[in-house]
Amino acid sequence: YQPDGVLSVDKAKMCISKVLKNGSYYWEWTHKRLDGVEFPAIIFATKLEWRNQVLLQATIRDITERKQAEKALQKAHNELEIKVEERTADYKKAKEEAERANKLKSEFLANMSHELRTPMHGILSFSKFGIQKADSISKEKNLSYFKQINDSGKRLMTLLNNLLDLSKLETGKEVYKMELVNICQVVKDNVASLQLVFEDRLLNITISDPAKHLEIKCDKNKINQVIKNLL
């Protein structure tokens, strides 16, 4: 019995011809019990000769359990492949995140190495002028040098605190403290902090006061950093 009609007849003829040719042959078949229940079977047929006649002896074996085991094995194999694919995707994502974090750290440290030089240069420059002119400058001028050194030191401390904030390195995100800032005063303060650097390089910086009082909403430390870098 085979539920696919004419094709099953053709298959039966082909299988029988192979038994006659080779002496034996086996194939899988869909068999039907007396109660009409179908089940997968394997048929092993052998060619026999008896009293000058050719006979075929066939053994039918129920392979339902084997088929169920194969199906279960295939299901487990498919599930394992899915798990492997998911695990591979997780590893790939973790690798990409690690590479991204490493790139962000490299960029952050490269930027910070530049940022640290500016306040350090201010500290060295003002302290140098203070040492050279200690006996010839007024008390007010000397005090202004110390003020600039103090401001540069505070700026340097802020940068170092940012550098040590590893959470920024890992997330690649900055936290901004937005407030209204007098941008003109920020520019003037930065020019003043770098005045000795300008003089040392024979540069003259002129600031033109705007007609209106200019305020912008920004992070004061960050905008300070931008202007100082530009200068």
Side-chain angles (χ1 to χ4, degrees):
Y1 170 82
Q2 190 73 4
D4 51 357
V6 176
L7 293 178
S8 64
V9 176
D10 293 338
K11 181 178 179 180
K13 291 179 178 180
M14 178 194 70
C15 294
I16 291 172
S17 66
K18 288 188 176 182
V19 175
L20 295 174
K21 179 179 179 181
N22 300 323
S24 63
Y25 186 67
Y26 70 92
W27 62 94
E28 291 187 5
W29 200 254
T30 299
H31 210 60
K32 180 182 286 188
R33 305 182 194 278
L34 293 177
D35 59 5
V37 176
E38 296 178 359
F39 66 95
I42 187 169
I43 299 178
F44 184 80
T46 305
K47 174 184 175 183
L48 300 175
E49 292 185 5
W50 184 71
R51 293 183 180 179
N52 298 322
Q53 292 183 347
V54 176
L55 305 178
L56 293 181
Q57 174 181 293
T59 302
I60 301 175
R61 179 184 175 190
D62 187 343
I63 56 173
T64 301
E65 291 184 0
R66 194 191 81 180
K67 286 295 184 181
Q68 291 175 344
E70 289 176 353
K71 187 176 180 181
L73 183 63
Q74 184 62 46
K75 181 181 178 182
H77 177 73
N78 293 338
E79 291 176 350
L80 180 60
E81 282 189 340
I82 292 173
K83 289 181 179 179
V84 170
E85 289 176 359
E86 291 175 348
R87 189 63 58 85
T88 301
D90 290 340
Y91 286 148
K92 183 179 179 181
K93 183 179 178 181
K95 180 176 179 291
E96 290 174 350
E97 289 178 351
E99 290 174 348
R100 177 176 173 273
N102 187 55
K103 181 181 178 182
L104 289 173
K105 289 179 182 180
S106 298
E107 292 175 352
F108 184 85
L109 293 174
N111 291 333
M112 288 302 296
S113 66
H114 168 72
E115 303 296 344
L116 292 173
R117 289 190 181 95
T118 303
M120 181 59 70
H121 194 80
I123 293 172
L124 295 175
S125 296
F126 282 107
S127 60
K128 174 185 174 183
F129 275 85
I131 293 171
Q132 292 176 345
K133 301 179 180 181
D135 298 329
S136 59
I137 60 175
S138 65
K139 182 178 180 181
E140 290 77 14
K141 193 67 174 176
N142 194 36
L143 183 61
S144 70
Y145 287 163
F146 279 112
K147 183 178 181 302
Q148 294 295 344
I149 291 173
N150 184 261
D151 290 342
S152 295
K154 289 179 179 178
R155 173 64 185 154
L156 183 61
M157 181 59 69
T158 300
L159 292 172
L160 289 174
N161 287 335
N162 288 338
L163 179 62
L164 296 175
D165 189 352
L166 297 181
S167 63
K168 293 180 181 179
L169 297 181
E170 293 171 355
T171 62
K173 297 179 180 179
E174 286 281 1
V175 178
Y176 294 95
K177 183 182 178 182
M178 307 303 287
E179 58 183 326
L180 285 177
V181 174
N182 183 347
I183 191 61
C184 299
Q185 190 59 49
V186 172
V187 173
K188 290 179 181 178
D189 291 343
N190 278 285
V191 170
S193 69
L194 295 171
Q195 190 59 47
L196 292 181
V197 178
F198 300 147
E199 292 177 4
D200 190 43
R201 299 182 182 179
L202 303 179
L203 299 173
N204 184 41
I205 306 297
T206 303
I207 303 175
S208 299
D209 287 328
K212 295 182 178 180
H213 182 68
L214 295 181
E215 281 189 335
I216 64 171
K217 192 174 184 180
C218 65
D219 183 306
K220 187 175 181 179
N221 288 330
K222 300 295 189 297
I223 206 69
N224 253 311
Q225 184 177 335
V226 171
I227 294 173
K228 193 177 291 291
N229 286 342
L230 289 172
L231 289 170

